[in-house]
Amino acid sequence: MKTVRFIFPLARPYFWYYLAGIILIPPSTYCALAIPRYTGAAVDGLRAGPSGSGAVPAALIGALLLFALGRAVCLFGTRWLIIGASRRFEFDLRNRLFDHLQHLDRRFYDQARTGDLMNRSSTDIDAVRTMAGPCVMYSISTLFMLSLALPLMAAVDGLLTALLLVPLSLLTAAVRLIGPRVQLSHRRAQETLSALSSFAQENFGGMRVVKSFAMEEREIGAFKDLCEVYYQRSLATERVYNYMGPIAGAVGEIAAILLLLAGGGMILSGSFTLGDFIKFGGYQSLLIWPMISIGWVVNQVHRGLASVARLEEVFAARPAVADSGGKSEGGGLAAAVKPEELRGEIEFRRLNFSFNGPPVLQDLSLKIPAGKTVAILGRTGSGKSILASLIARLYAVPDGTLFIDGIDINRIPLASLRQAIGFVAQETFLFSRSIAENIAFGALDRDPLRWKEKASRLAALSRLDKDIDQFPHGYDEIVGERGVTLSGGQKQRVAIARAMMGRPRLLILDDALSAVDSHTEEEILHNLRQAKGDLTVLVISHRIASIKDADHIYVLEEGRIAEEGSHQELARRGGIYTEIFRMQLLAQELEEM
Amino acid sequence: MPPPAFSPHEEDRLAAPLDRRLALRLLRYGLPYRGWMALAVLLVLLVTGLDLAGPLIVKQAIDGPLRQSVAGASTPLPGSGGGGAPASSTASSPMRQLAAWAALYGLVVALYVSLRYGQGLLMSSIGQKIMRDLRLEIFTHLQRMPMSFFNRNPVGRLVTRVTNDVEALNQLFTSGVVTFVADVVVLSSLTLVLFWINLRLALVTLAVVPFLLLATFVFRFFARKYYREQRGHLAHLNAFTQESIQGMDTIQLFVQEAENLRRFAAINGSYLDAFQKTVFCYSVYFPVIEILGASALACILWQGGDGIRAGTLTFGEFYLFWSFLGRFLNPIRDMAERYNVLQSAMASAERIFRVLDSPQTIRSREAAVRPARLRGEVEFKEVSFSYDSPLPPPLREGVDSPLPPPLREGVDADFAVRDLSFRVEPGETVAIVGATGAGKSTVINLLTRFYDPQRGRILIDGLDLRDYHKQALRRRIAVVLQDPFLFSRTVLENIRLGNPEISAEAAMEAARRMQAHRFIERLPQKHEETLKERGLTLSLGERQLLSFARAMAHRPDLLILDEATAHVDTETEKLIQAALQELWRGRTSIIIAHRLSTVQRANRILVLHKGLLREAGTHDELLKQRGIYHRLYQLQFLGK
Ligand SMILES: Nc1ncnc2c1ncn2[C@@H]1O[C@H](COP(=O)(O)OP(=O)(O)O)[C@@H](O)[C@H]1O
Ligand SMILES: Nc1ncnc2c1ncn2[C@@H]1O[C@H](COP(=O)(O)OP(=O)(O)O)[C@@H](O)[C@H]1O
Ligand SMILES: [Mg+2]
Ligand SMILES: [Mg+2]
């Protein structure tokens, strides 16, 4: 029940829509029930009286049509109001979920699967909406139909009404028996479908590898097995599910047989007229369809509740990285910090970091003075990228371990912090939009004319301009999913231009030029130095050439700082750095021999 | 030529709801199960017949045993208390008849229920079988599509083809086609029966049918329009959500949450609008049907009443008209509901067939050579290639009908590789260097036949690439790319890739030699650890090491490294190189790298510039030439 409580506040704004829709249901039901009543009366009137035209009084027919009109108007109102409200509710829920997802941190996404999240934001939301719309409408309609029709029927004949309860309870029993089974086997089939879809997703995404290693046939084999399992499970579902239709149909027919037998008997004994017979039959058919719909409603509500629970799981996930994080003394948010006021001085103080396993960063103390360029070099997996991502608070850090301009990072508003940082990640993610839009992704200024001008300036800075000139659509070239139509170096240079767009105070280049040749790299570094001003820069690279001009260099080894100093100092020290330098210089030495 | 446009709205395009061509093609998938299909159709006819039998039985009862009582002549005799016995004795015979009719009705219902269950199950199992076949066919077809196809089509869209689109067909098989047929059968047989019983009343009652059809037609027109809008927005919404989830880091780093939410809400809003219009259509349509039904009822009462008075209509027949009215409205209403299902199924079918019809441009020929080993001799002969070529690549030299136009500077500026000729001797290590976008990766793409060149030939061991069986050839070549792709399978599986010839020991040995064991040992489950999507929780360098291990474990005859160590530190790279030199003695390799320390040991170095081969030779020779390589070298080691 906890789950339902979470959903109610979202439906609150539409309370009046629901109420209005529900208020229309009793008159609608009344009108519907009037039609068999008038039909029965008309039939009874036929038994006596002279022959000729106008056997059924025009007034009676008129009244019947009037009630039909009333029913129609109410039906329209109910559906339009309730289903419409459920759509709006769905709209809100979707926005809420998306907004929530945007505020979850990287720890969450490290564990989550894209396909699963997609499922929750489509299938589950649909199920919840069905529960909030059609289910509400049908169940309340059924309720009113039952409570209004049964007394009317009892008034026609008590015994017959009592008899009718037999097939109806049969129906309820069947629904309760079959429903959960359908549910269960449906869920199992759904799980297989989701596995099948993940498999396909990965296969298509990794097609390059699939083809390179000629694994197509093996992949087809594995997919075939999944299809077979899914087929078996779907069939199992169908086997149970297919009972529903015939049983529902049978209930209507059994009611009709009972009416024929008992009603017919009473007609024979004279206590019943054909008018009564038709009236009762009319009531019956009005009652049976809502009763059958209850079976459907129950199924949908089961599904809906399961979906609410799955959505709530996502909503319950709380980001460890959020603006209320600072609990240190003098705590609270340093709200005054504006991105342009940050100088970009960074200090790690004895920071430890791990992912429920061996430590990734250990007892790390490191300082990047404002306006300086600091470089980090280190083995694969030594924690360089993690270190960089901590500065942008992609992962949460304990209080008192990381400071920007002397302020605990947990006290700086997240938006200010990130606006002050230009981040070029090791792996480039581009959106399937135009190149111009990708460069201007972080633009504060949304005026397209102005950012286009700036985008071309930044493209020149990252030496992307000549490449763009060669694209058929220039800056409007769409780059494809994740930027597939660009070469590795082009992607990286778009990312650099993108990072510079927001006028950062601190630039982080995580192996950002690895796919760029040394000539272009040198030009970009030159341009960056020109444009640098008082920008603080953190460079992570394996190439000595791109870091040797840094003011200070740290060498990371298994999450610790192994060496530090300027290029000159480190090159002479005879440690790890010297060794790497020597290896990279080998060519030169060979030459000199 | 512009690159093939990405249309996020491809899902908008909708087929006609009952496109004959599509329907026939779909039907062909039922061919293997035609016996069962025929049985299902037979069952549908039976079930429909039984469904109509009920009201007919009641009619017979009313006009038979109940006739007297119903007509009003059987008003109980005055003083019924005394006449109880004779009344009951006279009533016993009609009562028995009544019971007989009821028993018949019961029998019909029992038969109806069991046949309907059988028919439903039969249809859904045929549907599931067809879906299984179709799904496998799409997947298999996609496995054979060229790489360029995957660059053009977002993964999400292709996944939709094998999942949602196939699922949509399920509805077509299980509830669509057959129920549609059943509805048509019901409607026509109802009409027939009514006309047969009473022509005049049937005409009057069925006078509403044109209005009913008109209403349904108008409804369908609008419902279809809005439904199409809705589908388009939904596809857009899903694509947007997926991209946002995958690029969440980027969104957060650039503080674009608010802007992104605004975009999302805008799409979501369009979706809502389209949906509200659909809701309006339904809200109007159902009540209209209700009113039309009531009008028909009024006609029955008015005309039927007169008929009964005039003696041209029995009460039983009157009952039949009344009772059939409900059965008449339901199928029409259902048809309108089912229309959407049918339409989306047809749209899905069309999208599926579009995938199945997309040609596999790079095919292995019939008599293709399947090499057991390669010596490793590679030769490019005047090869030119453009990614944007509108022309399909020529099949074979000589078969090539008109001579391709000569390449001209400027006009053909978009050629990624031009007039490229070079030779790699067996056992040689050749390095390719050049600026980004120079066409280095393109050379690899051509060599592994992800694309065929528009001009020139590529030979391996003296044989044209196109004479080889594609997969068999690729099995002998291993490529390590700059962007490593890992599957969310175990570490071990990521190395073996399901290849039964690679033992677990061999895989782990490869991992050890490629320096991947260091981080594998640190994982909680070691090599049995299941990786996350794309291996995202490993550092990029670690992922590269793993893909190195993968390549080595496959023991190729030709090794290609495309900036494979770009994210790996110098020390580790050094260790890998040492291992490669030991393992790779006497075998051919082609290496692309930016770090000259990686390439300087190569037997020969090719310098590519804007798709042209500008320099070639050993490290020392190239330095002496004082050309592009010399400049690169100066930059990297001497800093200007
Ligand atoms: N999301 C994660 N979950 C668990 N382990 C991780 C995650 N990201 C990185 N690691 C591990 O942390 C270590 C440091 O990673 P990283 O900083 O990316 O290395 P690098 O120095 O190569 O950039 C690696 O061993 C990596 O496997
Ligand atoms: N799949 C593709 N579709 C269209 N153009 C491409 C594709 N891949 C690369 N290109 C273009 O071809 C040129 C050469 O790219 P590539 O061979 O990847 O360069 P590199 O020498 O850096 O490896 C680039 O201008 C690039 O934009
Ligand atoms: Mg890294
Ligand atoms: Mg490349």
Side-chain angles (χ1 to χ4, degrees):
Chain A
M1 274 304 103
K2 186 174 125 224
T3 49
V4 179
R5 230 184 294 139
F6 131 82
I7 221 77
F8 274 146
L10 281 173
R12 168 92 28 90
Y14 308 110
F15 175 76
W16 294 109
Y17 286 83
Y18 277 109
L19 190 68
I22 290 170
I23 282 177
L24 284 175
I25 292 179
S28 162
T29 314
Y30 180 81
C31 289
L33 288 168
I35 292 171
R37 193 146 46 86
Y38 279 85
T39 313
V43 172
D44 278 343
L46 288 174
R47 299 194 331 154
S51 84
S53 78
V56 176
L60 204 150
I61 290 179
L64 189 143
L65 284 175
L66 221 59
F67 276 113
L69 190 68
R71 161 93 169 150
V73 169
C74 294
L75 269 184
F76 167 79
T78 304
R79 186 174 274 272
W80 174 232
L81 286 165
I82 295 184
I83 306 286
S86 76
R87 285 291 174 191
R88 271 172 244 261
F89 161 80
E90 176 194 15
F91 170 80
D92 288 348
L93 185 59
R94 254 181 225 284
N95 284 348
R96 276 277 292 265
L97 181 67
F98 190 79
D99 191 33
H100 182 75
L101 283 176
Q102 287 203 117
H103 289 96
L104 292 176
D105 61 16
R106 183 127 137 215
R107 287 248 184 194
F108 175 84
Y109 288 100
D110 280 348
Q111 302 307 320
R113 281 180 303 123
T114 311
D116 179 55
L117 290 179
M118 284 303 294
N119 243 333
R120 290 181 202 231
S121 56
S122 54
T123 318
D124 283 332
I125 286 194
D126 276 348
V128 173
R129 185 247 310 151
T130 307
M131 193 167 73
C135 285
V136 168
M137 184 172 82
Y138 288 135
S139 54
I140 294 180
S141 300
T142 305
L143 202 70
F144 277 110
M145 190 54 90
L146 265 178
S147 51
L148 289 179
L150 282 180
L152 282 177
M153 291 166 86
V156 177
D157 190 277
L159 179 70
L160 212 49
T161 311
L163 272 179
L164 183 66
L165 290 179
V166 175
L168 287 187
S169 48
L170 222 68
L171 179 66
T172 319
V175 166
R176 297 195 52 165
L177 206 68
I178 296 169
R181 290 186 183 205
V182 172
Q183 211 72 64
L184 188 71
S185 68
H186 180 73
R187 198 165 54 231
R188 283 172 43 126
Q190 252 357 74
E191 277 161 14
T192 320
L193 183 63
S194 147
L196 191 144
S197 138
S198 303
F199 184 89
Q201 164 134 16
E202 209 164 50
N203 173 284
F204 301 151
M207 189 46 83
R208 187 73 206 220
V209 174
V210 171
K211 286 192 180 300
S212 292
F213 289 88
M215 39 191 298
E216 290 99 329
E217 297 309 318
R218 294 196 292 269
E219 292 284 289
I220 291 172
F223 188 77
K224 188 174 179 184
D225 292 344
L226 276 174
C227 284
E228 192 60 40
V229 174
Y230 181 58
Y231 164 73
Q232 297 294 350
R233 298 205 164 161
S234 305
L235 211 57
T237 312
E238 298 288 355
R239 232 170 256 140
V240 196
Y241 182 74
N242 266 300
Y243 281 118
M244 276 316 231
I247 288 180
V251 168
E253 303 289 346
I254 291 173
I257 295 175
L258 287 176
L259 178 62
L260 176 62
L261 203 60
M266 287 192 294
I267 288 179
L268 282 179
S269 71
S271 59
F272 216 52
T273 62
L274 185 64
D276 292 332
F277 188 91
I278 285 184
K279 197 194 308 180
F280 202 87
Y283 289 152
Q284 250 180 12
S285 57
L286 276 177
L287 197 56
I288 277 164
W289 285 109
M291 286 303 287
I292 288 171
S293 82
I294 279 298
W296 179 85
V297 166
V298 169
N299 269 344
Q300 292 299 317
V301 168
H302 272 300
R303 284 190 51 191
L305 287 179
S307 291
V308 170
R310 280 158 52 85
L311 285 177
E312 207 202 2
E313 267 170 37
V314 180
F315 277 112
R318 290 271 156 258
V321 178
D323 269 343
S324 53
K327 282 175 224 83
S328 59
E329 67 279 13
L333 223 49
V337 180
K338 292 213 182 65
E340 58 276 12
E341 284 166 3
L342 284 173
R343 286 174 298 122
E345 181 200 278
I346 296 164
E347 189 184 354
F348 284 84
R349 279 191 209 152
R350 314 202 61 169
L351 175 132
N352 289 300
F353 185 85
S354 70
F355 295 97
N356 343 306
V360 174
L361 297 175
Q362 300 179 53
D363 200 21
L364 186 91
S365 295
L366 173 156
K367 192 159 179 174
I368 305 178
K372 298 286 182 192
T373 299
V374 167
I376 296 179
L377 185 86
R379 257 188 190 271
T380 305
S382 58
K384 305 179 296 296
S385 299
I386 298 295
L387 187 149
S389 58
L390 291 183
I391 298 175
R393 270 187 88 193
L394 285 177
Y395 292 106
V397 292
D399 286 338
T401 52
L402 180 50
F403 297 83
I404 310 279
D405 290 359
I407 310 169
D408 190 318
I409 196 167
N410 290 335
R411 293 186 52 221
I412 302 176
L414 207 51
S416 304
L417 175 73
R418 287 179 179 164
Q419 261 161 22
I421 297 176
F423 201 108
V424 186
Q426 193 170 19
E427 211 169 1
T428 312
F429 187 95
L430 299 184
F431 291 86
S432 53
R433 305 177 187 170
S434 71
I435 293 213
E437 280 176 291
N438 268 295
I439 293 177
F441 187 68
L444 304 170
D445 188 353
R446 286 265 147 232
D447 179 2
L449 277 179
R450 253 173 294 163
W451 60 247
K452 274 212 163 142
E453 188 262 334
K454 190 164 181 210
S456 63
R457 219 161 4 95
L458 289 172
L461 180 139
S462 63
R463 300 284 288 108
L464 193 64
D465 43 353
K466 292 220 185 73
D467 296 70
I468 292 178
D469 287 343
Q470 292 196 349
F471 293 143
H473 300 283
Y475 282 91
D476 294 327
E477 181 93 357
I478 306 282
V479 301
E481 218 179 23
R482 288 171 185 263
V484 277
T485 59
L486 301 184
S487 85
Q490 286 165 342
K491 274 189 277 188
Q492 286 189 333
R493 283 176 289 153
V494 172
I496 292 173
R498 176 172 74 182
M500 292 300 288
M501 190 77 185
R503 273 188 238 105
R505 308 292 308 127
L506 167 64
L507 182 64
I508 298 177
L509 300 172
D510 184 358
D511 213 3
L513 292 161
S514 57
V516 176
D517 61 287
S518 33
H519 179 66
T520 315
E521 175 176 10
E522 180 51 43
E523 284 180 328
I524 296 172
L525 290 175
H526 174 78
N527 290 346
L528 279 177
R529 271 193 293 271
Q530 297 280 302
K532 182 175 172 293
D534 55 354
L535 186 69
T536 311
V537 182
L538 174 65
V539 187
I540 298 173
S541 176
H542 294 301
R543 284 190 227 168
I544 299 278
S546 41
I547 62 175
K548 66 180 183 346
D549 292 328
D551 297 305
H552 203 76
I553 299 170
Y554 290 95
V555 180
L556 220 56
E557 184 78 7
E558 312 229 309
R560 296 171 192 274
I561 290 169
E563 293 170 19
E564 62 176 295
S566 69
H567 172 72
Q568 272 70 22
E569 291 163 18
L570 288 173
R572 263 182 268 117
R573 180 168 302 173
I576 306 170
Y577 188 89
T578 317
E579 175 65 11
I580 294 169
F581 186 45
R582 204 185 59 75
M583 283 187 237
Q584 294 198 2
L585 260 186
L586 210 58
Q588 191 191 356
E589 286 171 4
L590 285 174
E591 170 87 340
E592 282 163 2
M593 277 187 337
Chain B
M1 203 190 84
F6 288 87
S7 70
H9 304 302
E10 201 203 335
E11 320 286 324
D12 305 12
R13 279 192 252 148
L14 280 184
L18 266 178
D19 188 318
R20 257 229 308 273
R21 186 180 45 84
L22 285 177
L24 280 179
R25 192 162 165 189
L26 273 177
L27 217 55
R28 233 179 292 151
Y29 286 88
L31 229 51
Y33 313 109
R34 54 181 173 270
W36 292 113
M37 295 253 270
L39 182 61
V41 170
L42 188 72
L43 284 179
V44 167
L45 293 179
L46 280 175
V47 166
T48 310
L50 289 174
D51 194 25
L52 295 186
L56 280 169
I57 290 173
V58 178
K59 171 199 168 276
Q60 290 302 326
I62 291 174
D63 283 349
L66 299 181
R67 187 191 185 105
Q68 294 285 300
S69 332
V70 160
S74 69
T75 338
L77 299 166
S80 59
S88 68
S89 73
T90 47
S92 80
S93 146
M95 191 62 215
R96 210 171 293 140
Q97 279 180 32
L98 186 65
W101 282 119
L104 181 63
Y105 198 166
L107 212 66
V108 165
V109 170
L111 205 60
Y112 165 79
V113 168
S114 38
L115 285 185
R116 187 163 155 200
Y117 178 73
Q119 174 246 324
L121 193 56
L122 189 57
M123 271 332 287
S124 33
S125 67
I126 294 173
Q128 292 290 342
K129 281 197 182 85
I130 293 178
M131 278 160 53
R132 178 191 59 186
D133 299 349
L134 193 59
R135 215 188 296 275
L136 192 61
E137 184 179 335
I138 302 168
F139 187 83
T140 307
H141 183 82
L142 284 175
Q143 297 302 297
R144 315 223 190 291
M145 290 307 287
M147 205 56 220
S148 53
F149 179 85
F150 292 91
N151 291 345
R152 270 199 319 269
N153 291 282
V155 170
R157 187 186 295 170
L158 298 179
V159 173
T160 307
R161 297 294 169 275
V162 289
T163 54
N164 297 9
D165 281 336
V166 176
E167 287 300 303
L169 293 184
N170 181 27
Q171 310 252 301
L172 186 72
F173 291 118
T174 51
S175 61
V177 172
V178 174
T179 329
F180 194 79
V181 170
D183 285 346
V184 170
V185 171
V186 167
L187 285 182
S188 43
S189 39
L190 275 178
T191 314
L192 274 178
V193 171
L194 291 185
F195 271 102
W196 178 59
I197 286 178
N198 190 312
L199 185 69
R200 191 182 147 85
L201 187 55
L203 276 176
V204 174
T205 311
L206 296 183
V208 296
V209 169
F211 296 101
L212 219 53
L213 291 180
L214 181 72
T216 305
F217 183 79
V218 171
F219 164 77
R220 271 177 17 175
F221 176 80
F222 284 104
R224 177 173 180 201
K225 190 168 139 205
Y226 300 138
Y227 178 73
R228 172 189 315 210
E229 266 181 39
Q230 202 178 301
R231 281 279 308 199
H233 293 310
L234 182 64
H236 198 174
L237 203 63
N238 282 339
F240 191 88
T241 311
Q242 172 150 1
E243 195 172 36
S244 298
I245 290 174
Q246 288 176 338
M248 194 54 81
D249 267 6
T250 311
I251 291 168
Q252 293 180 345
L253 281 171
F254 286 87
V255 201
Q256 291 301 304
E257 292 97 335
E259 166 65 15
N260 213 44
L261 178 63
R262 195 188 58 72
R263 278 176 184 243
F264 179 84
I267 306 171
N268 196 7
S270 319
Y271 180 57
L272 174 69
D273 287 345
F275 238 129
Q276 294 293 37
K277 289 180 200 156
T278 315
V279 172
F280 184 78
C281 285
Y282 278 95
S283 304
V284 171
Y285 178 69
F286 287 135
V288 165
I289 296 293
E290 201 82 15
I291 290 182
L292 287 174
S295 316
L297 179 61
C299 289
I300 294 175
L301 287 181
W302 167 53
Q303 277 294 313
D306 289 357
I308 287 178
R309 281 285 168 79
T312 55
L313 190 75
T314 66
F315 273 105
E317 288 164 349
F318 176 86
Y319 171 85
L320 197 68
F321 269 87
W322 176 77
S323 158
F324 272 4
L325 183 63
R327 291 180 196 243
F328 209 93
L329 291 181
N330 280 340
I332 290 186
R333 204 164 23 201
D334 289 356
M335 274 160 100
E337 280 263 42
R338 217 166 287 125
Y339 185 80
N340 271 355
V341 171
L342 220 62
Q343 180 166 296
S344 82
M346 279 300 171
S348 290
E350 184 168 26
R351 288 194 294 266
I352 288 173
F353 289 142
R354 209 179 306 139
V355 167
L356 288 180
D357 290 342
S358 43
Q360 305 167 2
T361 45
I362 300 191
R363 277 228 173 86
S364 301
R365 292 170 341 116
E366 293 295 312
V369 176
R370 296 165 178 269
R373 299 298 311 243
L374 294 177
R375 280 186 296 125
E377 180 196 291
V378 175
E379 186 171 7
F380 272 58
K381 279 188 173 171
E382 290 169 9
V383 171
S384 296
F385 170 74
S386 160
Y387 284 102
D388 300 328
S389 166
L391 301 165
L395 284 175
R396 293 280 285 124
E397 221 175 49
V399 186
D400 212 354
S401 36
L403 272 176
L407 302 174
R408 275 162 299 150
E409 189 72 35
V411 177
D412 299 302
D414 60 341
F415 271 78
V417 156
R418 265 179 297 172
D419 276 332
L420 186 65
S421 300
F422 67 88
R423 219 179 124 83
V424 181
E425 301 298 337
E428 240 189 343
T429 296
V430 166
I432 304 178
V433 297
T436 53
K440 305 180 295 295
S441 299
T442 306
V443 170
I444 305 307
N445 286 343
L446 293 173
L447 185 56
T448 44
R449 262 201 106 191
F450 283 121
Y451 299 89
D452 277 340
Q454 278 90 5
R455 280 171 54 103
R457 311 171 57 187
I458 301 168
L459 310 174
I460 289 185
D461 289 358
L463 201 59
D464 194 301
L465 220 49
R466 285 166 286 202
D467 290 332
Y468 283 105
H469 185 268
K470 203 170 49 180
Q471 264 110 308
L473 180 70
R474 285 187 188 145
R475 227 165 258 144
R476 306 309 322 151
I477 304 177
V479 192
V480 185
L481 295 169
Q482 182 184 16
D483 295 323
F485 183 92
L486 301 183
F487 295 90
S488 56
R489 306 176 187 172
T490 63
V491 170
L492 196 60
E493 256 320 295
N494 265 294
I495 297 175
R496 297 170 58 188
L497 295 180
N499 190 335
E501 286 161 29
I502 302 173
S503 68
E505 291 73 43
M508 290 321 293
E509 173 62 13
R512 206 182 56 74
R513 299 305 288 263
M514 293 301 120
Q515 304 299 313
H517 64 293
R518 283 165 43 114
F519 76 87
I520 295 177
E521 289 303 314
R522 256 185 283 153
L523 298 172
Q525 312 268 336
K526 309 244 174 342
H527 55 272
E528 292 297 339
E529 175 92 355
T530 303
L531 299 178
K532 291 275 145 32
E533 258 173 17
R534 290 175 175 254
L536 283 184
T537 56
L538 297 179
S539 102
L540 193 49
E542 290 168 342
R543 278 180 260 162
Q544 274 193 332
L545 297 183
L546 208 53
S547 65
F548 244 109
R550 171 193 284 168
M552 294 313 295
H554 281 76
R555 305 193 160 280
D557 302 322
L558 178 57
L559 180 67
I560 299 172
L561 309 179
D562 187 355
E563 300 184 30
T565 47
H567 300 295
V568 175
D569 62 288
T570 316
E571 266 183 287
T572 308
E573 184 188 3
K574 186 96 182 155
L575 293 171
I576 292 178
Q577 276 188 344
L580 280 185
Q581 277 199 338
E582 189 189 321
L583 295 171
W584 215 245
R585 201 176 298 281
R587 282 188 264 185
T588 315
S589 42
I590 297 178
I591 297 171
I592 296 175
H594 290 308
R595 268 182 256 167
L596 297 193
S597 57
T598 316
V599 305
Q600 63 196 7
R601 286 180 190 280
N603 299 97
R604 228 139 38 84
I605 298 167
L606 309 175
V607 182
L608 273 189
H609 189 68
K610 295 196 174 164
L612 289 170
L613 182 62
R614 294 284 291 270
E615 293 168 17
T618 63
H619 175 71
D620 292 338
E621 285 167 14
L622 289 182
L623 281 184
K624 288 204 189 83
Q625 279 185 18
R626 307 218 149 244
I628 300 173
Y629 185 80
H630 181 73
R631 230 173 39 238
L632 289 176
Y633 176 80
Q634 295 256 309
L635 266 171
Q636 206 163 104
F637 294 115
L638 311 174
K640 295 205 190 133

